[in-house]
Amino acid sequence: MASPTHINGFSSAITALILIIVACFHCVDAANYQQQFVGPQNAARARLRLKPLRWDPKLARYAQWWANQRRRDCALIHSNGPYGENLFWGSGKRWSPVQAANGWLSEARSYNYYSNSCRAEMCGHYTQIVWKNTQRIGCAHVICNGGRGVLFACNYFPPGNFLGVRPY
């Protein structure tokens, strides 16, 4: 019979170590997931000498809540909540947070700082990312029902994109 310090042939110390390693892998995955969203956006902010965005779990929960609301139809409908918000949809299941962030950042080519306007295409996702007063970010995604694609949502606080105000 095994002594109380052994569980199924393993010592309790080894069992504890295994649990820590498993928990650590989860932490690394979560940090990597966050970095995939934040990294490209903070790189764009750094080029403009803006302070980096910090990950906010409250904003991430809100983004997840909203993405879950759109899981059935994958519609790019904004939550109209208290935060700035960027949405991205891609068909299929193989989209990453980096691709969503880079999609929003690609709008930089359409933004004209001097006229504070967008050229031919949209640029509001980009200006939200580089909004000078924005400090925090939280993001999430869902795979939409019926193979309709992947929906990404990022929320920002304080929000940006105020009419007539330059982002930086």
Side-chain angles (χ1 to χ4, degrees):
M1 183 165 168
S3 68
T5 60
H6 288 78
I7 301 171
N8 295 332
F10 291 103
S11 74
S12 56
I14 292 173
T15 303
L17 181 60
I18 291 169
L19 292 174
I20 290 169
I21 291 169
V22 170
C24 185
F25 282 131
H26 175 70
C27 293
V28 170
D29 288 346
N32 181 45
Y33 180 74
Q34 295 168 10
Q35 186 58 30
Q36 286 185 50
F37 281 113
V38 177
Q41 295 184 62
N42 277 343
R45 292 176 65 85
R47 285 190 292 276
L48 297 170
R49 297 188 177 136
L50 300 172
K51 290 181 182 178
L53 299 171
R54 293 184 329 271
W55 187 263
D56 185 321
K58 179 180 176 183
L59 293 175
R61 284 190 301 275
Y62 185 87
Q64 188 65 65
W65 170 80
W66 185 246
N68 287 337
Q69 303 306 304
R70 304 273 39 111
R71 183 185 302 270
R72 290 187 320 168
D73 60 10
C74 226
L76 292 173
I77 298 172
H78 284 280
S79 67
N80 295 315
Y83 309 116
E85 188 169 70
N86 283 347
L87 301 174
F88 177 94
W89 173 83
S91 64
K93 296 180 182 178
R94 295 185 176 259
W95 291 89
S96 71
V98 170
Q99 290 171 307
N102 285 336
W104 298 321
L105 290 167
S106 72
E107 294 177 3
R109 67 180 174 265
S110 180
Y111 179 65
N112 182 317
Y113 179 82
Y114 299 104
S115 65
N116 192 31
S117 63
C118 301
R119 294 188 184 111
E121 54 190 78
M122 195 179 332
C123 67
H125 299 102
Y126 168 73
T127 55
Q128 174 57 77
I129 290 168
V130 297
W131 199 264
K132 181 179 182 177
N133 295 332
T134 298
Q135 300 169 7
R136 299 191 319 252
I137 182 176
C139 306
H141 81 282
V142 293
I143 296 175
C144 300
N145 294 351
R148 290 191 174 119
V150 181
L151 179 71
F152 291 91
C154 283
N155 290 96
Y156 303 84
F157 187 81
N161 287 342
F162 293 102
L163 194 60
V165 179
R166 284 191 172 84
Y168 50 89

